[in-house]
Structure formats: C-alpha cells, structure tokens
Amino acid sequence: MGIFSNLFKKSGASEKEPARESSSSFSTPAGEVNISVSVSTPQYNPEIPPLQGDYAKAVFLWAFSKPQPIRENGNYAAYFLYECGIRDCAKYHKKLTEEGYFIEAEPGEALELFKLPELKDILRELNQPVSGKKAVLIERILENAEEGFLRAHVPETIYKLSSEGTAFLQEHDAYVQIHKNKNWGVSWQEYDRYAKPGQDYLTTMWVIFNTQLRNSKPEESRNLYYYLYSILLEQGKRSDALEMLLRVLYLDMSGIHAKVMFDLYRQKVYTKKQLKEYADTIAALAPGIVYPLEKFRDIYDSEMIDVLYMWKLPIQICDKELFRTIIESAVNGTFDEEQANKKLKAAYNKFVDKL
C-alpha cells in the first residue's frame, strides 16, 4: 500500500497550494452520478479554436484510418471544428491526400464500408452463396468479381492511409489517446509540456494528474483519482488501481462534493430542511463505480479501508463501518444498491441534524 502513503503526503501538502475555483456543478466520468445545486450558470457556447496543427492532423488521420471517401462538408464530425479547428473538413481531407497522407484504395478495400445486406445483393448478382460473416462475404466477392464489376458497384473514390500517413499516426499516437480521453480534460498543449522523450502516454498522464492533485482541494480531486484508477488498471497494476477506486468511493460517500451547499447553509442561504431535500441526490452511489469492486475480490484487503480513513476530510457523512459494509458487499458480490443508498441517506440526514 505504498502508493496510498505517498498520496496522503501529497494531500496534506495540497492545502498550502493555490486552489481551483469551486463549481456549483459536480461532473463525473461516464456512468457516474452528476450532482448539481440550484445555482444559475451562463449558457456554454463552444468557441472555435485555430487549427490545432499536428494534433488536428493526427486526430483526422485516425478518424479516417479505414478506407473512406472524401465527404461533403456537413458530413464530418463536429469535433473536427470545435476541438481541432478544422473549418473546411472536405478541403482539409483533400489537402492531406495531396500531401500523400492518403492514397486511393482498391475497389475491393472499399467493400469494408458496405453493410451485410449490400454485400449479399452483390453476391446474388454474381450467383454466389450469401451465407457467412462479413469477412467471408467480402472474400467471396473478390474471388468472383472482375475489376470492372467492382468499380461499377463502388462509384466513389475511396482513400486509405498511405505509409506516410500510418507513420505519422504512429509517431503521434499520444494525440489520438488525448482525443479518445478528452473527458480527462487534458489538452495536447498541456500534455506536451509534461511529455519527455521515451516517456509513454499513460506515464505522462500520471505525472499530469498528480501535479493537479497537489493543487486541488479534496472536493476537487475526486475525478483525478478516478483517472489515476483508469491509468493503473490499463497498466495492469490492479492493487494500486483498487486503492484509487476506493479513494473515489471514499470521496463520493463522504459528501465532500456538496461542500458548497453546506457553506451556503452556514451563510444562512439554506436551511436544514432544504439540505435534506437533496438527500436522494447527494447520498447516492454511482453503480458504475461500485460494481467493478467484485473484480478485485482476490486482492482486496480490509486494512485498505483503515488506511483510507486516516485521510481526514472536512465533511464526512459516512463512518468507517458503514463504508466497510458497503465496500465489502460489493467485493463479495452481494451489493444491494437500494439498501446502500437508504443507509447513506439516513447517515446524511443524521449529519445534517448535527450541523
């Protein structure tokens, strides 16, 4: 449990660092509970950035790594504009083709774009059997169709990555990973500031998130721990990943995400009655975070919870024994979401009564 000890030291130091601004909306990764308080916020209008250079090129090449035609504007994903700054996707697609990143694909390669019913129709024209999976159907067409027949059924010019395009994509794979994990909130510019020669994507992200943790208050750190859990899990470090997941749940069940509401209560903006009206939202578990615990049954150690509760939070709705009961039920595959939320709601109301 060495990784936990180091993180506790960082948490202690974080209070001396500048903190980010608190938000009235508590966003979480996909599948988790979103918690908001009744504070109005301005409507968000995404800005179009300037063309994002090699980042835009890498994301575009990745998106069209399978044979596809150059499309009409309006048929490209919106993120090319709002994330990559590509204002004219068709023109950009043609430009990359002219620069040698794409080359014309053979008509047979274009068959990958066809749906099963379409492939079967082609086989019927060839008087061939239509049974089998997609790969089998394509192979059967290629074995029985002449080039002229294929060109007649694939009227569009289809382009695929060239060797130059493939090499560029491999060299800039980290940019593709940043795009895939854009919910992590790390831009390619920030990534480049931390990236070192020979250092892989996940290691660089680990450094970034730990740096952010040193500048975060507990109520701001929950998602960062979830991202660290994801990194460790992908690296195969299951024991360390479990410790990060437990930390996420510890923060979730503490009620720290609703700190702004308790601050408003102290300012006499909210009453205890109003606080209790949020019980079903604040004292609720995200099933997508709890159920994965069962996969860690072979490495779970009850002592992890004892160590975890050494980290004192300014708000603590769930005591150690209730936390242990819920966690161990999930680890053992007996988790009852309704009962767990009922117990957390009772703990929350008790906490509010003592304010």
Side-chain angles (χ1 to χ4, degrees):
M1 290 187 283
I3 191 171
F4 244 164
S5 301
N6 292 333
L7 287 169
F8 285 136
K9 292 178 182 177
K10 291 174 184 173
S11 297
S14 68
E15 294 181 2
K16 301 177 183 179
E17 300 288 340
R20 299 174 184 175
E21 291 185 359
S22 298
S23 170
S24 60
S25 177
F26 308 95
S27 59
T28 64
E32 301 167 42
V33 174
N34 292 318
I35 300 171
S36 302
V37 297
S38 300
V39 178
S40 61
T41 56
Q43 186 176 1
Y44 172 67
N45 292 310
E47 295 183 1
I48 301 174
L51 183 63
Q52 298 295 290
D54 284 349
Y55 176 78
K57 186 186 295 185
V59 172
F60 197 92
L61 293 175
W62 165 77
F64 290 90
S65 55
K66 292 183 179 181
Q68 296 183 56
I70 295 176
R71 306 172 182 176
E72 296 290 333
N73 275 324
N75 292 324
Y76 289 85
Y79 65 76
F80 290 130
L81 177 62
Y82 293 106
E83 182 184 336
C84 300
I86 304 173
R87 284 159 171 76
D88 189 326
C89 288
K91 183 178 179 180
Y92 188 78
H93 204 161
K94 292 173 185 176
K95 179 176 178 290
L96 292 185
T97 302
E98 292 167 359
E99 293 175 353
Y101 292 100
F102 292 109
I103 57 174
E104 188 172 341
E106 296 296 325
E109 294 176 287
L111 293 175
E112 290 287 346
L113 300 175
F114 283 58
K115 296 179 181 179
L116 277 175
E118 295 169 330
L119 293 173
K120 290 180 180 180
D121 286 342
I122 294 174
L123 283 167
R124 290 188 184 99
E125 289 185 49
L126 294 169
N127 295 316
Q128 294 296 319
V130 296
S131 61
K133 295 183 178 180
K134 185 173 184 177
V136 174
L137 300 185
I138 292 174
E139 183 180 0
R140 192 175 296 146
I141 291 172
L142 295 176
E143 288 175 350
N144 292 276
E146 296 181 356
E147 185 176 348
F149 179 90
L150 287 174
R151 290 194 180 280
H153 286 77
V154 187
E156 286 187 295
T157 303
I158 306 298
Y159 296 93
K160 66 178 181 180
L161 282 182
S162 65
S163 57
E164 183 179 352
T166 301
F168 184 92
L169 201 52
Q170 290 173 345
E171 182 182 354
H172 296 84
D173 180 66
Y175 286 167
V176 175
Q177 299 306 318
I178 291 168
H179 167 72
K180 288 181 177 179
N181 294 301
K182 55 180 173 282
N183 63 302
W184 287 4
V186 175
S187 68
W188 66 268
Q189 295 96 332
E190 183 177 12
Y191 179 88
D192 280 356
R193 288 198 296 271
Y194 286 89
K196 296 180 180 179
Q199 184 170 280
D200 65 25
Y201 166 73
L202 290 177
T203 301
T204 302
M205 295 302 288
W206 175 268
V207 173
I208 290 172
F209 290 139
N210 274 285
T211 301
Q212 292 178 358
L213 274 173
R214 289 195 292 272
N215 296 295
S216 299
K217 293 181 178 180
E219 61 267 28
E220 302 166 328
S221 64
R222 186 264 190 201
N223 286 357
L224 294 173
Y225 286 114
Y226 184 82
Y227 303 150
L228 291 175
Y229 155 74
S230 301
I231 290 172
L232 291 164
L233 196 61
E234 190 166 340
Q235 290 176 329
K237 300 175 181 178
R238 295 177 65 243
S239 181
D240 291 339
L242 173 58
E243 291 182 347
M244 291 298 101
L245 185 58
L246 288 174
R247 179 161 275 227
V248 172
L249 286 160
Y250 179 65
L251 289 166
D252 280 355
M253 287 190 254
S254 70
I256 193 72
H257 48 271
K259 183 177 181 298
V260 65
M261 293 181 60
F262 295 116
D263 290 343
L264 289 171
Y265 165 77
R266 294 183 183 93
Q267 296 170 28
K268 302 188 183 302
V269 176
Y270 278 118
T271 64
K272 288 185 178 182
K273 181 180 178 181
Q274 289 172 318
L275 286 180
K276 288 185 177 183
E277 290 174 357
Y278 288 97
D280 289 332
T281 303
I282 295 173
L285 281 166
I289 300 298
V290 178
Y291 285 113
L293 285 169
E294 189 173 357
K295 299 178 182 178
F296 295 95
R297 186 183 304 181
D298 59 320
I299 57 173
Y300 169 76
D301 184 344
S302 182
E303 186 184 348
M304 291 178 173
I305 294 176
D306 295 325
V307 174
L308 188 56
Y309 267 76
M310 292 169 60
W311 181 23
K312 302 301 181 183
L313 298 173
I315 295 172
Q316 186 54 272
I317 291 170
C318 182
D319 64 36
K320 182 163 61 173
E321 291 315 308
L322 176 56
F323 184 84
R324 193 190 308 274
T325 298
I326 292 172
I327 294 300
E328 293 188 350
S329 70
V331 170
N332 296 323
T334 59
F335 175 69
D336 185 320
E337 183 181 349
E338 183 178 351
Q339 286 300 312
N341 285 333
K342 184 177 180 180
K343 291 178 180 179
L344 283 173
K345 182 178 178 180
Y348 170 78
N349 287 329
K350 184 177 180 181
F351 177 84
V352 171
D353 286 337
K354 290 182 178 181
L355 289 175

